[in-house]
């Protein structure tokens, strides 16, 4: 029996909150000594944490706006992006995925319309980024990021009960609009899922990829952790913790994906 839409929405929000809590250092000791928590420099951690907090702030405000208006209010979302309380624009598509997550839920029944709303939000970010920096950057293109689009498709199929974990990425890879480096990353993930290869053997290759595109790596890892154990919320999050890469973003995304798929009743009560 499939979970109801309301149960899935609740699961998405609760899953994201649990993932965010578990990713916050110091690590909970109950998960065992095998977790290797790598602490980056204090300055880097502070900057990353600040961007995640800003992304969450936009997501919360965006959710309230969607509930209040019953639709996407571009002017209000633009005010969230331009808010003086946000010290910087979100530089990574990983944080942008968190910020736009309410849109992925709200427009899950109409992917073309979701694409349009994401396009409008992306333009808002592009304008802010260009005013803050004159350096050329391919990431500042107003084109909707493909990784976030794949994330939206995952959410949409979960909510419509048409997500088949074993073949979902194959379907995405068949899309002619998908380009590298995301196509290469999704191909690697699909191969790992099919062969059930452990992450350790993949870690070095993934590290090289992350140096090319950190944001897509984060979204790809979230998809990998979820799709490798789609029916087990607990195991998906533990896998993300073991991988130990950008936990502050990967874990909330994994929690949201698994929570959407399994519903709030699929989240262990003790969590």
């Amino acid at each position: 029996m499939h979970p109801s839409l309301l149960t899935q929405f609740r699961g998405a929000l609760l899953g994201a909150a649990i993932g965010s809590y578990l990713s916050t250092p110091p690590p909970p000791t109950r998960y065992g000594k095998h977790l290797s928590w790598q602490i980056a420099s204090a300055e880097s951690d502070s900057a990353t944490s600040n961007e995640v907090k800003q992304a969450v702030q936009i997501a919360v405000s965006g959710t309230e706006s969607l509930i209040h208006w019953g639709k996407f209010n571009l002017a209000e979302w633009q005010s969230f992006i331009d808010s003086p309380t946000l010290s910087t624009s979100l530089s990574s598509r990983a944080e942008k995925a968190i910020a736009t997550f309410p849109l992925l839920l709200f427009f899950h029944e109409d992917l073309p319309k979701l694409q349009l709303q994401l396009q409008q939000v992306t333009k808002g970010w592009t304008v802010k980024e260009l005013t803050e920096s004159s350096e050329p950057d391919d990431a500042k293109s107003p084109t909707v990021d493909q990784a976030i689009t794949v994330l939206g498709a995952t959410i949409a199929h979960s909510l419509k009960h048409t997500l088949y974990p074993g073949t979902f990425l194959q379907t995405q890879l068949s899309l002619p609009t998908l380009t590298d480096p995301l196509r290469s990353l999704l191909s690697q993930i699909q191969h790992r899922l099919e062969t059930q290869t452990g992450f350790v053997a993949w870690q070095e290759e993934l590290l090289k990829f992350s140096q090319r595109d950190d944001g897509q790596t984060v979204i790809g890892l979230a998809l990998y952790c979820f799709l490798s154990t789609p029916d087990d919320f607990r195991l998906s999050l533990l896998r993300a913790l073991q991988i130990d890469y950008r936990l502050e973003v990967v874990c909330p995304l994994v929690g949201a994906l698994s929570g959407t798929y399994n519903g709030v009743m699929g989240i262990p009560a003790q969590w």
Side-chain angles (χ1 to χ4, degrees):
M1 181 177 178
H2 295 302
S4 68
L5 186 63
L6 178 59
T7 296
Q8 288 181 283
F9 268 61
R10 289 174 174 174
L13 299 177
L14 180 58
I18 292 174
S20 179
Y21 170 75
L22 292 178
S23 68
T24 305
T29 56
R30 62 181 177 274
Y31 295 119
K33 295 185 291 185
H34 60 283
L35 295 179
S36 57
W37 288 70
Q38 302 170 351
I39 306 301
S41 67
E43 181 180 354
S44 175
D45 278 355
S46 176
T48 301
S49 176
N50 189 42
E51 282 205 12
V52 173
K53 290 178 180 177
Q54 293 183 45
V56 171
Q57 182 178 335
I58 293 175
V60 171
S61 298
T63 301
E64 293 173 346
S65 175
L66 289 169
I67 293 173
H68 176 74
W69 295 102
K71 62 180 181 179
F72 174 67
N73 186 319
L74 176 59
E76 198 159 77
W77 274 77
Q78 188 64 54
S79 71
F80 303 150
I81 296 172
D82 296 334
S83 172
T85 61
L86 303 184
S87 57
T88 61
S89 61
L90 304 182
S91 60
S92 169
R93 57 174 52 87
E95 280 77 18
K96 290 176 181 177
I98 292 179
T100 57
F101 195 80
L103 292 176
L104 305 187
L105 289 172
F106 195 82
F107 292 103
H108 72 276
E109 292 184 316
D110 192 340
L111 288 180
K113 191 170 185 178
L114 170 62
Q115 188 82 358
L116 175 62
Q117 316 302 12
L118 289 174
Q119 176 78 43
Q120 293 176 318
V121 173
T122 302
K123 285 182 179 178
W125 264 309
T126 303
V127 170
K128 183 170 184 178
E129 289 168 358
L130 291 176
T131 57
E132 292 177 350
S133 173
S134 59
E135 297 180 3
D137 188 348
D138 291 340
K140 293 173 183 175
S141 167
T143 304
V144 175
D145 184 79
Q146 292 183 333
I148 297 179
T149 301
V150 172
L151 200 64
T154 311
I155 293 294
H157 284 288
S158 288
L159 291 172
K160 292 187 286 187
H161 310 301
T162 57
L163 179 70
Y164 306 104
T167 59
F168 171 71
L169 289 184
Q170 291 178 343
T171 303
Q172 297 302 304
L173 287 167
S174 68
L175 298 176
T177 55
L178 196 67
T179 60
D180 281 328
L182 182 61
R183 178 178 291 277
S184 174
L185 177 61
L186 294 184
S187 296
Q188 291 180 37
I189 295 173
Q190 181 62 32
H191 175 69
R192 300 299 167 184
L193 294 174
E194 291 174 349
T195 59
Q196 297 184 344
T197 309
F199 175 75
V200 175
W202 183 32
Q203 193 167 12
E204 184 176 344
E205 189 174 358
L206 188 69
L207 180 60
K208 292 179 182 178
F209 185 91
S210 69
Q211 294 170 350
R212 295 171 55 197
D213 197 312
D214 173 73
Q216 287 193 349
T217 301
V218 167
I219 294 175
L221 275 175
L223 289 169
Y224 168 75
C225 292
F226 162 59
L227 293 172
S228 58
T229 50
D231 298 308
D232 194 325
F233 177 89
R234 174 180 173 276
L235 196 55
S236 292
L237 268 179
L238 287 179
R239 189 183 300 275
L241 288 167
Q242 287 176 317
I243 288 175
D244 192 19
Y245 181 84
R246 292 294 307 275
L247 294 177
E248 74 286 347
V249 185
V250 173
C251 285
L253 289 178
V254 172
L257 288 171
S258 187
T260 302
Y261 183 78
N262 293 291
V264 71
M265 299 302 294
I267 297 177
Q270 63 269 31
W271 282 40

